[in-house]
Amino acid sequence: MNDIEFIKGNGGMGRQSANEDPISGLLMRLPGLTTTNLAANGFDLVVVGEKTLYIATLKYFEQLEALGIVESDMSSAVLKTKTLDEYKDMAAMNAIVYHVAEFFKKSDAGTLYLGIKVDAEEIVKAEVKQMQYYSGGKLRRLGIFTKSLTNIADYQTAVFGGEDVGLEEQHQPLSIFVTYCGQLDNATAISAETGTVTITSTVTPETISALKGQSNQVLAGRCNVSILVGCDLDVSLIEKLGIFAYYGAIGTMLGCSSFASVNESIAWVGKFPLGIKMPGFITGDVLGDVTAADIELINDNRYIFIRVHVGDANNYFNDSFTLDVATSDYAYIENVLTIDKAIRGIRANLLPYLNSPLRVDAETGKLAASIVSYLETVAGRALEDMEKVDELSGYSVEIDPDQNILSSSQLEIVIKQVGVGVMRKVRVKIGYVTSLN
């Protein structure tokens, strides 16, 4: 029917979050994407070693179109007229549109640094670090969309360092969410008669048996990395994403984390309903077809996926695991984001006093009481702000006045903080009694 159509823009008012907590990054390996127009349309070319990343900063979803990223019709009628290269380019474009759209649906005041890698190699540590450098150290979380988990150990060392200096040592910590290809990722033919695409896999297909088996990904100290294996297996979405369909819902996960306060779990039922049409796994298995016992085993391996709760029509993340061991203080994403925010804030407040003079008591040579009190207040300002918005339950800052600053030129500050708990399990005792007295 003829009509007048309205398309509502978003972002024109320039509304942004009051702090940098929502700032996120998404680094996608998309071989087959045509790069001809990326640089011309506003992507920056960043050289990392011998490779090139295309990076752009997004404040709102509608910017994608201006950057030359638009959604394509992947119906069989259209594909009959397309070449393999055109198909791969369309699928890559659709993958960008889908995951970026999901991010802004969940975090409309967030900022997303979008990085694109177009060669076939896995995303490597140097590229992870470059995303943080490009943002000026602002990224709080980075989603990685790559072929396999081959470089998972390197992603942790990108933060903590190994043979080279890590991001944390450079005062630019971040959490990394990794998703990878679970099934088919390469097209080899298109039928000119039916538009049917022959899709194969260049990786060993992931299976439920493997996900529930003994995981070798959990490792003490691997607290900055999480693995996402949950996705939307809606038939129309699989058609639209093509060879990039069997990856986790990384845009959704990034958006929930961006929208959350740093102390909040992305699995919070009351705040983070996902609205996934057909929840499943990157293996191609629909959630409803996987046994409860297998789901428990996958959960025990600290993978993040999508689940449902009886009596609730929506769906949610199962938890907010990192790949650290369960007994670690940093076993969950919110633990890491909270302490990273505290560290960033404390450092920002103390930095102006680096290399400043410190008056000592003339009789003892120790720190003057007034200096101790003042610096304790300075160091605690960021924590006080976090406590006010319930990101911390409490904190203390202590400076030993007996430190000999004259001989060491080193000031030691002891900070203790009490986190905010997450109600992961509830035990309710219920039964009949003859009376309430």
Side-chain angles (χ1 to χ4, degrees):
M1 299 286 289
N2 295 336
D3 202 352
I4 300 173
E5 181 181 3
F6 292 88
I7 300 174
K8 293 193 294 184
N10 194 1
M13 297 179 70
R15 288 177 177 162
Q16 294 297 308
S17 173
N19 57 49
E20 296 184 339
D21 293 346
I23 297 179
S24 309
L26 175 58
L27 178 54
M28 304 181 75
R29 169 194 171 274
L30 296 169
L33 179 65
T34 301
T35 62
T36 305
N37 296 322
L38 292 184
N41 288 333
F43 278 88
D44 289 330
L45 274 68
V46 180
V47 178
V48 185
E50 298 179 353
K51 303 297 181 180
T52 299
L53 293 182
Y54 295 84
I55 307 178
T57 307
L58 304 178
K59 303 287 188 180
Y60 48 93
F61 170 73
E62 286 80 3
Q63 285 179 267
L64 276 184
E65 185 174 355
L67 291 168
I69 307 294
V70 293
E71 187 173 282
S72 298
D73 182 354
M74 297 283 272
S75 65
S76 58
V78 172
L79 293 181
K80 285 192 292 186
T81 66
K82 301 298 181 181
T83 66
L84 273 176
D85 286 344
E86 288 173 326
Y87 166 80
K88 292 178 181 179
D89 181 67
M90 292 161 64
M93 290 278 195
N94 286 356
I96 296 171
V97 171
Y98 168 65
H99 290 290
V100 171
E102 288 300 304
F103 172 83
F104 283 108
K105 282 180 185 177
K106 300 300 181 186
S107 182
D108 58 357
T111 296
L112 184 68
Y113 286 83
L114 174 64
I116 298 173
K117 179 176 183 173
V118 297
D119 62 77
E121 294 182 11
E122 301 278 6
I123 289 173
V124 299
K125 175 171 62 174
E127 292 161 341
V128 171
K129 296 172 76 171
Q130 187 58 57
M131 287 293 292
Q132 183 65 296
Y133 297 152
Y134 181 89
S135 75
K138 295 179 180 179
L139 294 185
R140 273 37 176 181
R141 62 199 62 77
L142 173 68
I144 294 180
F145 184 98
T146 193
K147 184 176 181 179
S148 73
L149 297 179
T150 299
N151 294 332
I152 193 87
D154 284 348
Y155 301 152
Q156 178 63 55
T157 59
V159 182
F160 266 179
E163 296 179 359
D164 54 358
V165 178
L167 292 170
E168 188 148 304
E169 297 170 85
Q170 300 173 53
H171 312 295
Q172 302 175 68
L174 80 164
S175 291
I176 298 173
F177 308 155
V178 183
T179 193
Y180 62 105
C181 179
Q183 286 293 307
L184 309 173
D185 72 327
N186 187 44
T188 58
I190 299 179
S191 169
E193 295 182 359
T194 65
T196 303
V197 182
T198 302
I199 303 180
T200 59
S201 184
T202 63
V203 295
T204 302
E206 189 64 278
T207 64
I208 291 295
S209 294
L211 292 181
K212 74 176 184 178
Q214 185 63 43
S215 174
N216 60 356
Q217 302 299 344
V218 176
L219 187 67
R222 194 173 280 181
C223 60
N224 293 85
V225 183
S226 301
I227 296 178
L228 172 66
V229 297
C231 64
D232 192 340
L233 295 177
D234 176 67
V235 174
S236 62
L237 181 61
I238 290 176
E239 177 186 85
K240 183 165 64 176
L241 297 181
I243 56 176
F244 299 106
Y246 295 98
Y247 290 76
I250 193 69
T252 304
M253 183 176 176
L254 281 170
C256 287
S257 181
S258 172
F259 182 62
S261 296
V262 292
N263 62 291
E264 294 174 350
S265 168
I266 57 172
W268 182 2
V269 172
K271 187 170 181 177
F272 302 111
L274 303 183
I276 297 295
K277 292 181 180 179
M278 184 62 69
F281 294 87
I282 61 173
T283 60
D285 295 277
V286 175
L287 179 65
D289 293 339
V290 182
T291 68
D294 285 351
I295 289 173
E296 285 288 350
L297 291 172
I298 296 170
N299 184 80
D300 290 345
N301 283 336
R302 304 186 69 78
Y303 291 113
I304 296 175
F305 55 89
I306 299 156
R307 64 165 297 181
V308 295
H309 295 280
V310 175
D312 189 322
N314 218 309
N315 40 69
Y316 309 86
F317 286 120
N318 61 310
D319 216 320
S320 53
F321 298 122
T322 69
L323 293 180
D324 208 341
V325 294
T327 54
S328 169
D329 286 351
Y330 309 107
Y332 299 95
I333 294 168
E334 61 270 18
N335 302 147
V336 179
L337 291 175
T338 299
I339 200 161
D340 282 351
K341 179 174 182 176
I343 290 171
R344 284 175 181 265
I346 294 166
R347 181 176 182 271
N349 289 334
L350 287 176
L351 188 58
Y353 300 92
L354 186 63
N355 294 320
S356 68
L358 286 181
R359 188 169 60 85
V360 300
D361 186 290
E363 295 183 2
T364 65
K366 308 300 182 182
L367 284 171
S370 59
I371 294 296
V372 169
S373 177
Y374 180 73
L375 289 177
E376 286 178 343
T377 300
V378 170
R381 283 174 186 161
L383 303 179
E384 181 182 7
D385 290 340
M386 292 177 68
E387 184 181 23
K388 287 178 180 177
V389 294
D390 296 327
E391 293 172 345
L392 288 176
S393 295
Y395 71 94
S396 70
V397 181
E398 298 177 3
I399 298 176
D400 183 357
D402 291 336
Q403 296 178 60
N404 193 335
I405 193 72
L406 292 176
S407 61
S408 69
S409 293
Q410 177 175 302
L411 179 69
E412 182 173 291
I413 304 174
V414 177
I415 295 179
K416 300 175 184 178
Q417 58 184 44
V418 180
V420 176
V422 173
M423 190 168 63
R424 288 190 157 80
K425 293 185 179 181
V426 182
R427 176 179 292 180
V428 180
K429 295 182 179 181
I430 185 171
Y432 288 108
V433 294
T434 57
S435 71
L436 298 179
N437 296 322

